[in-house]
Amino acid sequence: MVAPRPADLLVAEVRLTPVLIADPPLLNTQGVHQPYTPRLIIEVVTEGGATGLGETYGDTEYLALARPLANALVGRSVTDLNGLATLAERTGADSLVAAGAHGGNGGAQGVDAAGLRGVRTAGKLRRSVRSGFEVALLDAWGHAAGLPVHALLGGAVRDRVPYSAYLFYRWQRHPEGPGETDDWGAALDPAGIVAQARRFADRHGFTSFKLKGGVFAPEEETAAIRALAEEFPGRPLRLDPNGAWTVPTALQVADALADVLEYLEDPVSGTGAMAEVAARTPIPLATNMCVTTFEEIPEAVARDAVRIVLSDHHYWGGLHATRELAALCRTFGLGLAMHSNTHLGISLAAMTHVAATVPNLDHACDTHYPWQTEDVLAERPVFRDGHLDVGDAPGLGVTLDRDRLAALHQRWLADDGTHRDRDDAAAMRRAHPDWTAPAVPRW
């Protein structure tokens, strides 16, 4: 293959397509997933005709940051990934100032869309937007050069990436109104969770299981983990109540499940409370709430608050930032796993490529993807024995289905604004009008 000329690698066009994707009624401490979740699909087209795909959050604030960044990318090389961070900082600051928001790394904008990521700041918003563009640039570069994204990141150290089943308490269907149906049924007790896990294991070959907690009283969720341990003896189990517990409650649960948990994720809110729990239990504590930026690492390390950091390239600013995080985890002796949001196949492919390049991927990655019945890809990624294969096709190795993209974009266009910003508490109020997102800790 002839190497691309520098001019061929210049960005000629950037297309932004917001979509709404069907989401099941999955429960968490803040409420329930809405019937539809917003995502943003990014296409970068080069002068040489290569097209790269990226994906990130599609909520209104993210779109406001994405549009000026897309315009600013035209004429720049897809290889200028270091310059992308500066460009995103500049265009993002201008957009936030124009919108009347704080443009710095602080400037709290409230909690994240589901209240499950800690405080939202302007810096976090910019990094999440930047991540989608970085993936699209890498994908375009890979197509132009005939190389997979993992090669552009330094090369794969594994040919398969392990994933974990993500278990949720859930309703059978969304309350009356818009929403798609599926054949999963409700899961509101230990038997329902075990049946859900069995189906994931049989269908996808998953051998580790994570339960989203913070929904029911801690003793009920402890019983669900115990039931999983009986059904899958010796398999890695995780529990994530999203900071819904007090320190005493977290210690009680940790004591009750010390013999079966692989790790306990964010049992309490904040680095200080995590440090209190960590000092009094042998169970490793993991987080994707109190450590989601590089600035938050020093305190967590100094206080020995966490043993495992769940990376997420959307949170941290892209695939290169994920590799930088992995290096810091190696330096400080922290374990590394991978967090998941409600994502489509483009993000899943990006997760797989970067996970393939990280030597210290210590735990199977989270993924919501098996819950998603819709995608914008021509072919869905297939889990085999709980793993995704790491291919050598150019770029991410995925192909966009334009008809599917157009249909999901049309849903976004037809929406009255109800679903263009994720709000799990608002979704819960459709079934329980008096619901307000509870303050944490709940128990």
Short mmCIF file of all heavy atoms in Angstrom, two decimals, residues 265-292:
data_model
loop_
_atom_site.label_atom_id
_atom_site.label_comp_id
_atom_site.label_asym_id
_atom_site.label_seq_id
_atom_site.Cartn_x
_atom_site.Cartn_y
_atom_site.Cartn_z
N GLU A 265 -16.91 -1.44 44.28
CA GLU A 265 -16.74 -0.20 43.52
C GLU A 265 -17.55 0.94 44.13
O GLU A 265 -18.77 0.83 44.26
CB GLU A 265 -17.14 -0.42 42.07
CG GLU A 265 -16.97 0.80 41.18
CD GLU A 265 -17.42 0.53 39.76
OE1 GLU A 265 -17.45 -0.64 39.34
OE2 GLU A 265 -17.76 1.50 39.06
N ASP A 266 -16.89 2.02 44.48
CA ASP A 266 -17.54 3.23 44.98
C ASP A 266 -18.67 2.95 45.96
O ASP A 266 -19.82 3.36 45.77
CB ASP A 266 -18.07 4.07 43.81
CG ASP A 266 -16.95 4.73 43.01
OD1 ASP A 266 -16.12 5.41 43.63
OD2 ASP A 266 -16.91 4.54 41.78
N PRO A 267 -18.36 2.25 47.06
CA PRO A 267 -19.41 2.01 48.06
C PRO A 267 -19.84 3.30 48.76
O PRO A 267 -20.97 3.40 49.24
CB PRO A 267 -18.74 1.05 49.04
CG PRO A 267 -17.27 1.33 48.91
CD PRO A 267 -17.07 1.66 47.45
N VAL A 268 -18.93 4.28 48.82
CA VAL A 268 -19.21 5.56 49.47
C VAL A 268 -18.78 6.68 48.53
O VAL A 268 -18.09 6.44 47.54
CB VAL A 268 -18.46 5.67 50.82
CG1 VAL A 268 -19.01 4.69 51.83
CG2 VAL A 268 -16.96 5.44 50.62
N SER A 269 -19.18 7.89 48.84
CA SER A 269 -18.89 9.03 47.99
C SER A 269 -17.70 9.83 48.51
O SER A 269 -17.65 10.15 49.70
CB SER A 269 -20.11 9.96 47.87
OG SER A 269 -21.18 9.31 47.24
N GLY A 270 -16.78 10.14 47.62
CA GLY A 270 -15.68 11.01 47.97
C GLY A 270 -14.43 10.26 48.41
O GLY A 270 -14.50 9.17 48.99
N THR A 271 -13.28 10.86 48.15
CA THR A 271 -12.00 10.23 48.46
C THR A 271 -11.83 10.01 49.95
O THR A 271 -11.32 8.96 50.38
CB THR A 271 -10.85 11.11 47.92
OG1 THR A 271 -10.99 11.22 46.50
CG2 THR A 271 -9.50 10.49 48.24
N GLY A 272 -12.27 10.95 50.78
CA GLY A 272 -12.11 10.80 52.22
C GLY A 272 -12.85 9.60 52.76
O GLY A 272 -12.29 8.80 53.53
N ALA A 273 -14.12 9.46 52.37
CA ALA A 273 -14.90 8.31 52.84
C ALA A 273 -14.35 7.01 52.28
O ALA A 273 -14.32 5.98 52.98
CB ALA A 273 -16.36 8.49 52.45
N MET A 274 -13.90 7.02 51.02
CA MET A 274 -13.30 5.82 50.44
C MET A 274 -12.07 5.41 51.23
O MET A 274 -11.82 4.22 51.47
CB MET A 274 -12.95 6.08 48.98
CG MET A 274 -14.15 6.16 48.05
SD MET A 274 -14.86 4.55 47.63
CE MET A 274 -13.67 3.96 46.42
N ALA A 275 -11.26 6.39 51.65
CA ALA A 275 -10.06 6.09 52.43
C ALA A 275 -10.43 5.45 53.77
O ALA A 275 -9.73 4.53 54.23
CB ALA A 275 -9.24 7.35 52.64
N GLU A 276 -11.51 5.93 54.40
CA GLU A 276 -11.95 5.33 55.66
C GLU A 276 -12.31 3.86 55.48
O GLU A 276 -11.93 3.00 56.29
CB GLU A 276 -13.17 6.09 56.19
CG GLU A 276 -12.89 7.43 56.82
CD GLU A 276 -14.14 7.97 57.49
OE1 GLU A 276 -14.60 7.34 58.48
OE2 GLU A 276 -14.68 8.99 57.03
N VAL A 277 -13.05 3.57 54.43
CA VAL A 277 -13.45 2.18 54.19
C VAL A 277 -12.24 1.33 53.82
O VAL A 277 -12.06 0.22 54.33
CB VAL A 277 -14.51 2.11 53.07
CG1 VAL A 277 -14.87 0.66 52.75
CG2 VAL A 277 -15.77 2.87 53.48
N ALA A 278 -11.39 1.85 52.96
CA ALA A 278 -10.22 1.09 52.49
C ALA A 278 -9.32 0.70 53.64
O ALA A 278 -8.70 -0.37 53.62
CB ALA A 278 -9.45 1.91 51.46
N ALA A 279 -9.23 1.56 54.65
CA ALA A 279 -8.34 1.28 55.78
C ALA A 279 -8.85 0.16 56.67
O ALA A 279 -8.10 -0.38 57.49
CB ALA A 279 -8.15 2.55 56.61
N ARG A 280 -10.14 -0.21 56.49
CA ARG A 280 -10.74 -1.15 57.44
C ARG A 280 -11.32 -2.40 56.79
O ARG A 280 -12.07 -3.13 57.40
CB ARG A 280 -11.83 -0.41 58.23
CG ARG A 280 -11.25 0.73 59.08
CD ARG A 280 -12.29 1.73 59.51
NE ARG A 280 -13.33 1.16 60.36
CZ ARG A 280 -14.40 1.84 60.79
NH1 ARG A 280 -14.56 3.11 60.42
NH2 ARG A 280 -15.29 1.26 61.56
N THR A 281 -10.97 -2.62 55.52
CA THR A 281 -11.42 -3.85 54.85
C THR A 281 -10.33 -4.35 53.93
O THR A 281 -9.62 -3.56 53.31
CB THR A 281 -12.72 -3.61 54.04
OG1 THR A 281 -13.08 -4.83 53.39
CG2 THR A 281 -12.53 -2.54 52.99
N PRO A 282 -10.20 -5.66 53.80
CA PRO A 282 -9.21 -6.21 52.86
C PRO A 282 -9.72 -6.24 51.43
O PRO A 282 -8.92 -6.47 50.50
CB PRO A 282 -9.00 -7.64 53.39
CG PRO A 282 -10.30 -8.00 54.04
CD PRO A 282 -10.82 -6.71 54.64
N ILE A 283 -11.02 -6.00 51.20
CA ILE A 283 -11.55 -6.02 49.85
C ILE A 283 -11.02 -4.81 49.07
O ILE A 283 -11.13 -3.68 49.54
CB ILE A 283 -13.08 -5.99 49.86
CG1 ILE A 283 -13.65 -7.25 50.51
CG2 ILE A 283 -13.63 -5.87 48.43
CD1 ILE A 283 -15.16 -7.28 50.54
N PRO A 284 -10.47 -5.00 47.89
CA PRO A 284 -10.01 -3.86 47.09
C PRO A 284 -11.18 -2.94 46.74
O PRO A 284 -12.26 -3.41 46.36
CB PRO A 284 -9.43 -4.51 45.84
CG PRO A 284 -9.13 -5.92 46.21
CD PRO A 284 -10.17 -6.30 47.23
N LEU A 285 -10.97 -1.65 46.88
CA LEU A 285 -11.97 -0.67 46.47
C LEU A 285 -11.60 -0.14 45.09
O LEU A 285 -10.45 0.20 44.83
CB LEU A 285 -12.05 0.50 47.46
CG LEU A 285 -12.46 0.17 48.89
CD1 LEU A 285 -12.75 1.48 49.64
CD2 LEU A 285 -13.66 -0.77 48.96
N ALA A 286 -12.60 -0.07 44.22
CA ALA A 286 -12.43 0.46 42.87
C ALA A 286 -13.24 1.74 42.74
O ALA A 286 -14.16 2.00 43.52
CB ALA A 286 -12.88 -0.56 41.83
N THR A 287 -12.90 2.56 41.74
CA THR A 287 -13.64 3.80 41.56
C THR A 287 -13.69 4.22 40.10
O THR A 287 -12.75 3.99 39.34
CB THR A 287 -13.02 4.95 42.37
OG1 THR A 287 -13.89 6.10 42.29
CG2 THR A 287 -11.64 5.32 41.87
N ASN A 288 -14.80 4.82 39.73
CA ASN A 288 -14.88 5.68 38.55
C ASN A 288 -15.64 6.96 38.92
O ASN A 288 -16.15 7.64 38.06
CB ASN A 288 -15.56 4.98 37.37
CG ASN A 288 -17.06 4.90 37.52
OD1 ASN A 288 -17.58 4.11 38.29
ND2 ASN A 288 -17.78 5.73 36.78
N MET A 289 -15.66 7.26 40.23
CA MET A 289 -16.34 8.46 40.70
C MET A 289 -15.41 9.44 41.39
O MET A 289 -15.45 10.63 41.11
CB MET A 289 -17.48 8.07 41.65
CG MET A 289 -18.64 7.37 40.96
SD MET A 289 -20.01 6.95 42.07
CE MET A 289 -20.61 8.57 42.54
N CYS A 290 -14.55 8.96 42.28
CA CYS A 290 -13.68 9.91 42.99
C CYS A 290 -12.35 10.10 42.27
O CYS A 290 -11.59 11.02 42.61
CB CYS A 290 -13.47 9.49 44.44
SG CYS A 290 -12.51 7.99 44.70
N VAL A 291 -12.04 9.26 41.29
CA VAL A 291 -10.84 9.46 40.46
C VAL A 291 -11.28 9.36 39.01
O VAL A 291 -11.35 8.28 38.43
CB VAL A 291 -9.74 8.43 40.76
CG1 VAL A 291 -8.53 8.66 39.86
CG2 VAL A 291 -9.31 8.50 42.22
N THR A 292 -11.60 10.50 38.41
CA THR A 292 -11.96 10.55 36.99
C THR A 292 -11.15 11.58 36.23
O THR A 292 -11.38 11.82 35.05
CB THR A 292 -13.46 10.87 36.81
OG1 THR A 292 -13.75 12.12 37.43
CG2 THR A 292 -14.32 9.78 37.45
#
